[in-house]
Amino acid sequence: YISAQLFGCLLGVMLANTFFEHSILELSTKSRDGLNIFISEIIATFGLIFIIFSTLKDGKITVAISVATYISAGYWFTSSTSFANPAVTIARTFTDSFTGINYLNTPTYILAEFIGLILAVYVLKVIYK
């Protein structure tokens, strides 16, 4: 499942790079570091996981719409631009556009995403006991 997500994300990056006349794959030089961005990515991931599990009972369409809406909004309300998924983070190291992330910042993003995941699972367990 993770490899399928990563493949899909990489394919998306390659297509977007092509659309905007960039090299099909390129390393990003976009620095995304700082405590503000780390915290922002924790919140982005927390919210994504929370939205997914909170809407599961309402069916696949509701989950899909909720996730799409949340990620779109998260792009604007978080300083990290809401990657919220390690596969997205890894793939975005391969675009030197405004959406990219320098590979040196990638591990910090992934750590923040795991922290957001753990916090969301904890809160969901407390709420839905």
Side-chain angles (χ1 to χ4, degrees), residues 47-108:
L48 177 61
I49 300 302
F50 192 88
I51 288 290
I52 291 168
F53 284 97
S54 294
T55 58
L56 276 175
K57 65 187 175 309
D58 299 320
K60 292 177 185 178
I61 292 173
T62 301
V63 173
I65 292 168
S66 298
V67 166
T69 302
Y70 180 80
I71 289 298
S72 295
Y75 180 85
W76 298 104
F77 77 76
T78 63
S79 59
S80 69
T81 67
S82 191
F83 291 26
N85 181 331
V88 171
T89 303
I90 292 167
R92 285 169 67 171
T93 63
F94 295 103
T95 181
D96 201 22
S97 69
F98 63 94
T99 64
I101 180 173
N102 186 296
Y103 71 93
L104 296 172
N105 303 132
T106 302
T108 305

Side-chain angles (χ1 to χ4, degrees), residues 16-32:
N17 282 346
T18 302
F19 295 161
F20 293 98
E21 297 180 316
H22 288 254
S23 297
I24 195 164
L25 287 175
E26 55 193 3
L27 283 178
S28 177
T29 58
K30 174 77 173 162
S31 179
R32 294 182 183 269

Side-chain angles (χ1 to χ4, degrees), residues 1 3 9-10 14 26 31 39 43 49 53 78 82 99 121:
Y1 181 73
S3 60
C9 292
L10 286 169
M14 291 187 290
E26 55 193 3
S31 179
I39 292 169
I43 299 301
I49 300 302
F53 284 97
T78 63
S82 191
T99 64
V121 168

